[in-house]
Amino acid sequence: STARWAKGRTTTGMIVACLIKDLVQAGEVKDFPLLKADKNELPDPEEFLEEEHKFGNYEVMERLYKYIPEARQGKAHVDHIIDLCGTPKEGGTGLQNLRECIQWTEEKFNFEPKLKKPFWKQMSKNFIERYCYLIMFATYLRERAPRDLDISFTLWMDIRAEIREIIVHGARDFNL
């Protein structure tokens, strides 16, 4: 529905605004805790993977980290903001939790009839792409804000053209 898409754009805008406030206006780059599942607490591989996905840890992220290790802290920063902007029951301000949206569409894809799978695949692809680009934007700001944003995000991404390929392939191959 249109309302869902508007909510997604609002959430994306809020995350971008918070990143700019944190990194450009505040002028300091802080580290945030990385969200990870604990194998000792979840010895069952399926439960562990489900918990990793709850924290937004997908295969595409590992590919991004191999190419640009600083993206780990970019993701940690985005996750921190997602939690601040999340639903009130989780202590947030009531916006969409992007990690939950990805997990929700993944579940729908896995359990809906075959006829609806393309719809859920496209929706999960859109969410995972948005999440990846927000992480890259955070990584860009963390690197370039201390340098007065001397290059644009577009140029920063163009210099690292492989990132776009990783995101496109990671989103395309998501939940296959």
Side-chain angles (χ1 to χ4, degrees):
S1 79
T2 308
R4 179 173 299 283
W5 294 116
K7 195 173 186 182
R9 285 192 305 271
T10 302
T11 301
T12 301
M14 285 299 293
I15 292 170
V16 168
C18 288
L19 287 168
I20 289 169
K21 180 190 161 291
D22 285 356
L23 294 163
V24 179
Q25 289 181 333
E28 63 176 307
V29 178
K30 289 188 247 171
D31 283 346
F32 293 90
L34 302 172
L35 300 177
K36 292 226 41 87
D38 185 344
K39 271 197 169 135
N40 297 323
E41 283 182 31
L42 298 161
D44 177 62
E46 231 172 84
E47 283 180 31
F48 175 76
L49 191 62
E50 192 176 316
E51 190 74 4
E52 278 287 85
H53 287 187
K54 184 178 155 192
F55 291 138
N57 298 322
Y58 294 97
E59 208 176 296
V60 65
M61 300 303 163
E62 291 305 319
R63 286 189 229 138
L64 287 172
Y65 302 152
K66 275 188 187 128
Y67 187 72
I68 183 162
E70 300 81 3
R72 279 185 200 279
Q73 261 310 307
K75 179 185 178 299
H77 199 152
V78 168
D79 285 338
H80 170 75
I81 292 169
I82 285 173
D83 292 340
L84 289 176
C85 293
T87 61
K89 73 175 191 229
E90 281 121 26
T93 56
L95 295 174
Q96 209 174 42
N97 182 318
L98 200 45
R99 291 189 315 268
E100 286 176 7
C101 290
I102 295 166
Q103 199 172 20
W104 174 71
T105 56
E106 188 179 29
E107 286 167 13
K108 287 287 194 182
F109 176 84
N110 291 332
F111 297 108
E112 286 285 323
K114 194 175 182 180
L115 209 60
K116 291 190 175 183
K117 284 194 186 293
F119 171 80
W120 294 111
K121 173 134 183 83
Q122 184 59 47
M123 192 178 265
S124 62
K125 181 179 175 279
N126 292 344
F127 281 133
I128 199 86
E129 266 184 19
R130 183 179 309 161
Y131 188 46
C132 288
Y133 276 105
L134 284 167
I135 290 166
M136 288 301 102
F137 187 66
T139 305
Y140 156 77
L141 285 177
R142 292 173 67 82
E143 179 187 305
R144 306 316 287 195
R147 299 177 181 135
D148 293 326
L149 302 177
D150 55 347
I151 61 171
S152 70
F153 177 60
T154 305
L155 178 57
W156 187 86
M157 287 291 291
D158 289 347
I159 293 166
R160 296 158 183 78
E162 291 86 349
I163 292 174
R164 285 195 181 100
E165 287 300 308
I166 292 167
I167 293 171
V168 165
H169 290 292
R172 190 190 62 217
D173 300 341
F174 188 67
N175 54 14
L176 287 181

